[in-house]
Amino acid sequence: MKYLVAALLFLASFTATAQKNYLNESKADRDARMQWWRDATFGMFIHWGAYAVPAGEYQGKEVKGIGEWIMHSANIPIPEYEQYVKQFNPTSFNATEWVNIAKQAGIKYIVITSKHHDGFGLWDSKVSNYDIMDASPFKRDILKELSDACKAAGIKMCFYHSIMDWHQPDAESKKDYTHQNTPNPDWAKYRENYLKPQLKELITKYDPAVLWFDGEWIPEWTEDQGKDLYNFLRNLKPDLIINNRVGKGRAGMQGMSKTQDAAGDFGTPEQEILEGTSDQDWESCMTMNDTWGFKKNDHNWKSAQVLIDNLVDIAAKGGNYLLNVGPTAEGLIPAPSVERLQAMGKWLAVNKEGIYGTNSRKQYKEGDVKFTVSKDGGTTYAFVHTKPGGEVVLESVKPAEGSKIHVLGWKQPCIWREEGGKLIVKMPLKLPSDYVTTLRIKTQ
Ligand code: FHN
């Protein structure tokens, strides 16, 4: 009996500590885990932190480069940068309003910076005092408020987390990022006693759907450490989705993993869209102007036309679009971003059937026209720029016999004919949405 109890105890302790290796997950398990993310197609990136206080200016001068890098670009000493943290008091922040803006834009998941490279955390961390509760006057847990608002709205909450950390002394990266002149930084100590416990905290407190890593390029971080972290996190939350910057596998800004066995679930092209489709899952993250974190003098906004064309192009190539906003130090999403998101939401309200939950088509474009297909393969969606009353000519789509072709958002079916092996569709005299029109064509 005694031996049986001992054996059971041993077994229990073994089960408690046994770590599953998620790196060789089956395709079926992986497909099931990735499904909501693949169907979602459109996410909002939020870069927000103390860098919104200087908003791109240091000592009265504009600093070149992206806003969230100001500490590094202007070589700001830590004690001075900490003053921005002390001034970070975004009293106009309203999580429900942000989430409403996202929801009305047709966004399905939000990825916010829990910690960017500057090391400052937007949640109530027990691991560090360099966070919103202890180091800033705001003393409201931003991640908690946003997580709650997302949950209420049915939007998935996800976190961006920087592996590189310019503030934590043990994390000092000696090659290019010597911010604090720590004599003996201890990367392993930072990794095990700071990075991992903070991530565990984020998972257990806020249950994020995706962890989006970055800052993995420093030499201290290795692919093995990435794989170890990947398993550590999936053991805490088995259905978690993790980007490929958890390891060292990505190929530059093009962002796709170089090898099959690289850690991470999806590729991360940055400020670019893949040339074509891919066997890997992928998500293009892009800014609306030229910065991720707020810069008061960056007014180089992309038009709604460009953003909607990007969304269509990405959906046609089977990727996701992670579109960035950089809120102000007061806690507001800049008005030009809100305007563009509203235009996208209005467009998606009419055209969503061709975007969410669709697949890419083998021939994903024909000239200027992009395509997606329904999951069952029976419907092709063609995204066109043709004017009202004009004709769309397609060579690669053959409608099912006797089927109707519709413009999404328009009740009357289109008049169409086949001529010399081409499909010719007459557009209505009035179109239901601006920017891009979607044709629904039954092919089976
Ligand atoms: O250095 C960061 C940058 O600040 C920003 O967060 C982008 C978003 O993908 N990623 C990094 C550069 O690859």
Side-chain angles (χ1 to χ4, degrees), residues 45-48 291-295 324-328 332-334 337:
F45 217 174
I46 306 181
H47 276 71
W48 201 34
T291 182
W292 303 92
F294 180 69
K295 272 186 98 171
N324 185 71
V325 297
T328 65
L332 298 172
I333 299 179
S337 300

Side-chain angles (χ1 to χ4, degrees), residues 131-146:
D131 70 15
I132 193 75
M133 305 304 277
D134 301 308
S136 91
F138 194 48
K139 306 209 181 304
R140 274 165 54 190
D141 186 332
I142 290 170
L143 298 193
K144 164 108 181 64
E145 291 183 23
L146 258 180

Side-chain angles (χ1 to χ4, degrees), residues 160-374:
Y160 164 111
H161 204 82
S162 177
I163 290 169
M164 174 164 77
D165 189 314
W166 298 331
H167 187 268
Q168 219 289 327
D170 282 325
E172 180 147 311
S173 177
K174 284 296 176 194
K175 189 162 173 269
D176 297 307
Y177 304 104
T178 49
H179 291 89
Q180 42 213 330
N181 298 317
T182 314
N184 293 307
D186 188 337
W187 184 257
K189 201 166 146 207
Y190 161 72
R191 193 184 63 229
E192 297 302 321
N193 300 348
Y194 194 87
L195 180 65
K196 279 179 163 179
Q198 280 209 323
L199 289 165
K200 185 173 179 183
E201 204 171 49
L202 287 173
I203 290 180
T204 46
K205 281 178 110 164
Y206 312 104
D207 195 31
V210 177
L211 279 180
W212 209 107
F213 288 100
D214 206 358
E216 86 293 10
W217 57 82
I218 52 174
E220 288 76 6
W221 192 247
T222 65
E223 176 67 13
D224 280 351
Q225 290 175 29
K227 289 195 162 117
D228 168 72
L229 184 61
Y230 182 90
N231 264 328
F232 171 76
L233 298 168
R234 294 273 320 270
N235 273 281
L236 289 170
K237 180 175 160 75
D239 63 350
L240 183 68
I241 294 176
I242 302 172
N243 72 340
N244 69 345
R245 300 187 188 183
V246 68
K248 299 289 262 198
R250 73 162 156 150
M253 296 309 232
Q254 189 265 351
M256 300 304 279
S257 296
K258 287 168 271 183
T259 56
Q260 280 275 327
D261 72 332
D265 298 316
F266 62 92
T268 50
E270 180 166 325
Q271 299 289 36
E272 59 182 272
I273 297 172
L274 290 195
E275 287 287 315
T277 56
S278 169
D279 291 343
Q280 295 173 35
D281 287 300
W282 60 280
E283 177 196 66
S284 272
C285 58
M286 297 176 109
T287 50
M288 280 198 211
N289 51 356
D290 292 328
T291 182
W292 303 92
F294 180 69
K295 272 186 98 171
K296 60 179 155 221
N297 292 326
D298 185 337
H299 306 296
N300 193 22
W301 299 99
K302 295 173 185 77
S303 65
Q305 179 75 57
V306 167
L307 300 176
I308 290 169
D309 281 339
N310 283 350
L311 176 65
V312 168
D313 190 27
I314 291 169
K317 292 168 180 167
N320 280 10
Y321 192 20
L322 187 63
L323 184 59
N324 185 71
V325 297
T328 65
E330 291 74 41
L332 298 172
I333 299 179
S337 300
V338 177
E339 280 159 30
R340 281 154 183 78
L341 288 167
Q342 280 168 349
M344 295 181 86
K346 208 168 149 202
W347 183 83
L348 272 164
V350 175
N351 298 280
K352 58 178 180 269
E353 185 187 320
I355 298 289
Y356 305 119
T358 54
N359 290 337
S360 63
R361 184 174 179 255
K362 208 162 182 202
Q363 182 176 343
Y364 69 88
K365 69 167 181 175
E366 191 183 318
D368 179 36
V369 180
K370 303 277 162 60
F371 302 108
T372 59
V373 283
S374 60

